[in-house]
Amino acid sequence: MFALPQRLTRALANASSAELEELAGRWSTRVRSEDGDDMTDDDLLAVLQGVARLAASAVDTGGGLYS
């Protein structure tokens, strides 16, 4: 288990839909080039959107985000 840095948690919590889509696109490109992974862009976007919702909840309650 590890705690995400507060700065990253706040950035995810405040990210717009467009920013999350851009990040998912960059992440997808990197994953495919390095690992040959076949996750779709939609899978990565869904993951980021879920983490962003958790981050927003953590920020709202003054808590942390852990993985």
Side-chain angles (χ1 to χ4, degrees), residues 3 6 8 10-11 13 18 21-22 24 26 30 35 37 51 53-54 56 65:
Q6 285 296 319
L8 176 56
R10 285 190 304 274
E21 288 177 29
E22 179 187 351
R26 290 191 328 245
R30 184 173 180 177
D35 299 334
D37 199 307
V51 173
R53 282 191 299 273
L54 291 171
L65 190 58

Side-chain angles (χ1 to χ4, degrees), residues 24-66:
R26 290 191 328 245
W27 184 16
S28 176
T29 299
R30 184 173 180 177
V31 167
R32 284 188 181 123
S33 70
E34 292 181 3
D35 299 334
D37 199 307
D38 62 353
M39 287 181 77
T40 67
D41 293 341
D42 293 337
D43 292 335
L44 296 171
L45 179 57
V47 169
L48 284 174
Q49 289 168 332
V51 173
R53 282 191 299 273
L54 291 171
S57 178
V59 168
D60 288 346
T61 62
L65 190 58
Y66 303 91

Side-chain angles (χ1 to χ4, degrees), residues 5-17:
Q6 285 296 319
R7 182 175 173 201
L8 176 56
T9 301
R10 285 190 304 274
L12 286 167
N14 294 319
S16 68
S17 293

